[in-house]
Each structure stands twice: as structure tokens, then as C-alpha cells.
Amino acid sequence: MTEQEARDAKLPPKAQDALRSPSHPFEGIPQVGTFFYESDGDYRFCVGTVVTSPGKNMVASAAHCFDSNDRKRNLVFVPQHHVKVPAPHGKFVIKTGSTYMYPSYLSRGANAADDLDFAFLKTEPRSDGKKLQDVVGSIPLSLNAGFTHATTRVIGYPYLPGDDKYKPKQNPLDCTTAMTKFTTGDKIVNGKRWKGGSFPEIHCDGYVAGTSGSPFLIPASGGAGYGLAGVTGGWLTGGQNANISYSSYFDNDVKRLFDAAVEGHPPADPSDVLPKAATWTHAKDIASGYFTLAGAVEDDAMDMFVMWSDGELTLYRGAGPDKNYFDKEFRVQPANKFWADHAVQVTAGDFTGDNGSDLVVQWNDGEVTLYPSVDEKGFHGEQQLMPANATWTHATEITAGRYGGNQWQDDLVVRWSDGELTVYQNTGTKLGKEIQAVDPKKNPLWKHATEIGSGDYTGNDTWDLIVRWSDGELTNYRDFTGDPTGWKESKLHGPDKTWEHALIVTGGDFSDNPHPDDTIVRWSDGELTLYTEGNATDIGQENRLVAPPNGFSAPRAVPSGAPSPVTPSEAETSR
């Protein structure tokens, strides 16, 4: 049973039966309203509350109401919408780029970031030039107000039974009840793991789907008016029961998001260890491996090793989706002029056979070096795989995987400047058996292989080679061994202008399943994206780890069958 079906199952067959005491329909209050798409005035969704702000233009709601597509088109907020007068105070447009939520809520999803299920939206002045707050007033935020309040007013626009559903002719519901504290651990619901925690809980009859974003209004300090202490969302996007609703707790994270919205810039995720996009433009190379000794999750996830342009070397510990995939930063080496000037690229594999990860470095004089068993404490020795030489100065791209030699990730793949592709199978303390996979005289196209990465996207013992071409095409070479007759080509997507800006592409194991079928992409503007659980024909689910500088990335080609991070149906039909 879906979340929507579970809620609807709680509704009595007749609409009026759903509105039994203590909830009742009324004509609303000026500070609370609902949303429409500017291009579709016949479809309303969710609830918003006008909150006190310097610009007199701010509306609070639930983050799960707005997916990445909603952030790229105009919405309309209609305060005190009701049947007799559908827009008693007029309409207020929310322009593209004026919806603010934490990036990790979009990237991790409602279930893994249910403590961040709140959003702020900036409205434009009404057609006569008047600002929203000047027209209808506002309700101040009540932050860190605790979970227990004897009197809490909740106003919501519910999903209607029958054919009307979300269509606009309806009155809101009004309910006064007690707010209490609900605490739970992680739970699997409808196949998804929901992050546990403590949430404000209210009991109001008939608050079914559509009431997402409904304000939890508590008496304001001093006794005059209300304060906003929550919006319907959070745990299970507000709950699976028509008569019990939840909210993410309104703490300092709400204040940080509000301040970012006031200033008009994308918010930084709370407690996010990954730096902002401006810093990621200086990431010279990335390698995926099992570096940290103490994993953050039961099923160990790979860590991300980053070589920065100033020579600093950093490890980000893998931690799964609940913590935006990385939870702790370790500095392996501070900024270092020698590494900054001479280290060209890095890759990781298990070249020593100890089930940990080792680092291979290519230097600008052609030397190739192995650093065995790198961890958060740093390097533990150095071995030269190849002395300085002219040939290796032409190694344009390197990656490591399990490419037919043995059970270890110790096969080194090199794409040379002339388009030759070579596999060094069973590399250890010296380079392994050399296999020419592509002869540039017979196949000159490989000069255009701009990025290569390794992963097991088909889930068998032989890994696959991911290639990003100069025109933005992305290709998976399945069961790659170096033998040109043994591997199969799958086009993940065709030429794509945006993917020409994918500067670093590396595979790894960062999600819940045990396969290295995930792909990290660092874009030219510093955005960092993780595609999880890919396969032979699909790069996987897109998860934004670091937002681009302006908060919005250009649309990218979505492979056939790939879901978006939050689909419109999820955003609009969840409560």
C-alpha cells in the first residue's frame, strides 16, 4: 500500500464524516494560504504561512512539497484561499529560483532528511505593487520552542475525496489540539529507510494528503497572537494516518535556512563536511576506496580521496545516504608545493591484497608511485612502480578496477595521449602484465575519451569501464578485460553539452547495496554529484552532494528509466 493509499484508507466514505470535531472547515485566516502553478490555475497543492521577514515577502512550507522542477518554474501563493472568494487578497507570484531548502533534502530524499522538511519561498509584490506582508500581516517564527504545547492551532487544505482531489474549490480546515513529542528510531516503511528522531506531533481529524506545510501555530511569547513552531511534514512526510500529523522540529537549522533565503543565496547544509562549490573547483582529482579504518556505517561504504590543486590531500569518510554519504573529513596532508606542482593524477585500488586501499600517483616527469594502505593517519611507505620516463608523461587518464586478472582491484587502465588504451593486469609492487586494449592506429576515436572510471555496474566479478567522451556522451564498457573482443558497449546517454562539463568521473561503492556501482562527478562549476546504483544501461539515481554556486544546475540528460531525485507525483501527493 502506498503512502497515499494508507492515508485514504483512513477516510470515511463521505467527505463530511472526515471533518468531525475537532476539525472543521472555515474561510481561513489572511496569513495562511495555498499554492498553484502559475501556468495551471486549476490545481492547488500544499499549504504556506506568511512569516515575518525584512523583505515582507516570505512564506514557510514543507520542503517535500517542492521538487527540483518546481524550483525552476513560477508558482503562485494565494493567501486565505476559500470557496466563496478564492483569492480575497490577490495572488503573489514566486519566481524561478525563489524557493529555498537545504540541498541535501533534494539530494538525499524525504526519508533520509526528514529532519530538514521545511522550505521558504520569496514572493513578488502583488499586481498593484503591494508586498505580501503589508497586505495580510505575518506570523513570526517560534524556534527552539520545545515539543509540548497544550494549545496548538493547525490550518490545512486537505486532499478532497472523489473527483475534486486537489482542485481549487475548497475551504481549509481548522483544528486546535495539543502538541506532543514523538520519538522513533529508523524504520523501513514502503521499502525505504526513514531516519528516526524526535518530531512534534498533533492529532487533528481529516488532515489527509494536501495538508503538507500546514502551520503548527502556538501562542506567541507575551501572549499576543501566534508563533510558527512547525509545518506538516518530517516523519513520513507528515504521517500515514489522516488524524495524526508530524513536523520537523523548528530549531537553529530553520533559522539558518531563513537567513539564507532573506539574503537570497543557496543555504549551506547543516553539519555538512563537504566544502562549497567554490572550493570543489580546486579538486584536481578524486579516487574512491576503503581508506578509513573505522567505518561510519555497518556495511562499510567507500571513502573519497581528494587531491587539491594546492597539494592538500583529504579523505571524506563514506557514511551512506542518511548523512549525505560522507560524515567526516581527514586531512592526510596539508597544502604542499611539491604535490601541487608535480602530482598529475591519482587512482585507488587494492594492489597489496590486504582488503584496504592503496594509492597510485602519476607525476609530471613520468614517475609512477604506489602508496600502500593509505588511511586517515596518512601514508605508510612509498614504492616506485615506474621511474621518471618520457612515456608516462603521456598518460592522460588512469583508473583501477578488477579487470580479469584476479579477485583484487589491482588492474591499472591507462588512456594515452595518442588514444591507445592499456591494461596493466595484476599490478602490485610493480606494474602488471601489459595488455593493449585499443590500438590507436586501428581505432583513433579513443583520443576523445576525456574521463575514465571503474565500477561493477553489472554485478559480476569483472568490472566495467565508464567513459565520458569529449562531446558529453557517456558509455559503459561492460566486463572489460583489455581483450577487445570480450567487452560490450552500452551507451548510457548520447552527446550532451552539460556532460562536457563533467571534469572528474570516478566509480565506487557509496550506497546501500554492496556493489561499486555508484559514480561521483565533479562539474566545472564545482557542483558535486553522486549517481547511485547504476547498471549496464543507466548511470543511476542522481544525488546532489554539493550545490552549484547559483543553487541550480543545468538540466542533464536523464537515461531512460532513471528516476528524478523527487518526482512531481511524490512532491504533490505526499501530505
Side-chain angles (χ1 to χ4, degrees), residues 237-302:
T237 61
Q240 288 186 301
N241 187 309
N243 308 319
I244 301 175
S245 302
Y246 305 96
S247 168
S248 299
Y249 183 59
F250 270 32
D251 56 11
N252 293 337
D253 289 339
V254 175
K255 179 63 164 61
R256 282 190 286 270
L257 180 61
F258 175 80
D259 290 343
V262 168
E263 295 172 9
H265 62 71
D269 274 313
S271 305
D272 194 345
V273 301
L274 300 178
K276 294 182 179 180
T279 300
W280 282 95
T281 61
H282 300 284
K284 196 172 180 179
D285 207 357
I286 296 172
S288 305
Y290 298 105
F291 295 105
T292 58
L293 299 175
V297 290
E298 182 177 349
D299 295 326
D300 196 17
M302 279 187 174

Side-chain angles (χ1 to χ4, degrees), residues 3 7 64 105 109-115 117 184-197 199 233-240 322 574:
E3 180 182 338
R7 290 187 182 122
H64 75 262
Y105 191 88
N111 57 311
D114 52 15
D115 57 331
D117 192 2
T184 181
D186 292 0
K187 289 185 178 180
I188 303 294
V189 180
N190 294 332
K192 290 185 177 180
R193 179 180 293 278
W194 286 79
K195 178 183 176 182
F199 303 86
W235 179 247
L236 305 180
T237 61
Q240 288 186 301
D322 288 354
S574 52

